[in-house]
Amino acid sequence: MTEETPGFEEKPDVPSGATPDGAEPKDAAPSSEEGASPAGDSVQTVGLTAQLDQVRTALAERTGDLQRLQAEYQNYRRRVERDRVTVKEIAVAGLLSELLPVLDDVGRAREHGELVGGFKSVAESLETVVAKLGLQQFGKEGEPFDPTIHEALMHSYAPDVTETTCVAILQPGYRIGERTIRPARVAVAEPQPGAAPAAAKEEQTDDEESGGTEEV
């Protein structure tokens, strides 16, 4: 009689790949491609687009600020340069205005033949210096009277003028560029009241001469 060893039971052989009885098969882990969410990609794209729009807006604002700042700087430089030139002209004009009486004395001495010797050399040096500073003399006999640059000190009538004319320069005028330091002080003459202009007289004379000639 064969004795059985208690506690041991024979179990049927189970293949290694088989699932034991009563055990539930485990689900396979989902792949990474199956786990990716299309909605997540869309949200990320929208966020990047919003950030890009913000960067573009900020760049446009900074560019506009830089352009405005550059324009303001250029305007400031032009104002400074213009003011510098104006201040220089005013300073030079003030200095030369004080020298005008001396230049008038030099001119009178030259007219009377007294500009000789060392005085002549000094006077010519002075005239050269003021010319380098931009001082220009104006005013000539025979030119039309212009109240913006002439100051009439004497007035008369003359038959040989067709308009108000400067017939004598009592004191020359001076200017620096377009700035008049002193107007030319002149004596003016106007046409005789009721007198026909000289040009009209000449035309009338020519007509009379041509009309008085008869063909034979």
Side-chain angles (χ1 to χ4, degrees):
M1 187 173 185
T2 305
E3 296 180 358
E4 297 179 357
T5 303
F8 291 92
E9 294 182 357
E10 294 182 358
K11 295 181 180 180
D13 295 334
V14 180
S16 60
T19 301
D21 295 340
E24 296 180 357
K26 296 181 179 180
D27 296 333
S31 63
S32 59
E33 294 179 357
E34 294 177 356
S37 174
D41 292 342
S42 299
V43 172
Q44 186 177 7
T45 302
V46 172
L48 292 176
T49 303
Q51 292 180 0
L52 182 60
D53 291 340
Q54 292 178 356
V55 171
R56 288 176 176 172
T57 302
L59 178 61
E61 292 177 353
R62 299 299 179 272
T63 302
D65 293 340
L66 180 60
Q67 291 174 347
R68 286 190 295 271
L69 182 61
Q70 186 176 9
E72 291 177 358
Y73 177 68
Q74 293 296 335
N75 292 334
Y76 169 75
R77 287 187 59 185
R78 283 193 290 267
R79 287 196 303 270
V80 169
E81 182 65 20
R82 184 171 61 250
D83 293 343
R84 185 183 67 82
V85 173
T86 302
V87 170
K88 179 181 178 181
E89 289 180 352
I90 293 174
V92 172
L95 172 62
L96 295 178
S97 297
E98 298 297 328
L99 294 176
L100 294 186
V102 180
L103 295 175
D104 292 335
D105 292 339
V106 170
R108 284 190 289 268
R110 182 178 285 113
E111 290 176 358
H112 292 85
E114 298 175 357
L115 196 62
V116 294
F119 180 44
K120 178 180 179 182
S121 177
V122 172
E124 291 177 349
S125 298
L126 176 61
E127 291 174 339
T128 301
V129 170
V130 297
K132 288 182 179 179
L133 292 176
L135 186 66
Q136 299 176 354
Q137 180 178 313
F138 65 90
K140 295 180 179 179
E141 294 182 6
E143 63 184 6
F145 176 75
D146 185 351
T148 61
I149 60 174
H150 296 138
E151 180 181 354
L153 301 183
M154 299 177 64
H155 176 269
S156 62
Y157 294 97
D160 56 344
V161 297
T162 59
E163 59 180 342
T164 305
T165 305
C166 300
V167 294
I169 306 300
L170 306 179
Q171 278 186 335
Y174 290 96
R175 67 164 64 97
I176 298 178
E178 299 298 326
R179 182 192 299 271
T180 299
I181 297 180
R182 187 183 73 184
R185 293 168 179 171
V186 300
V188 298
E190 291 183 344
Q192 289 283 358
K201 286 184 177 181
E202 292 179 359
E203 292 179 358
Q204 184 177 1
T205 303
D206 294 339
D207 293 340
E208 291 177 353
E209 292 178 354
S210 60
T213 303
E214 297 180 357
E215 295 182 0
V216 179

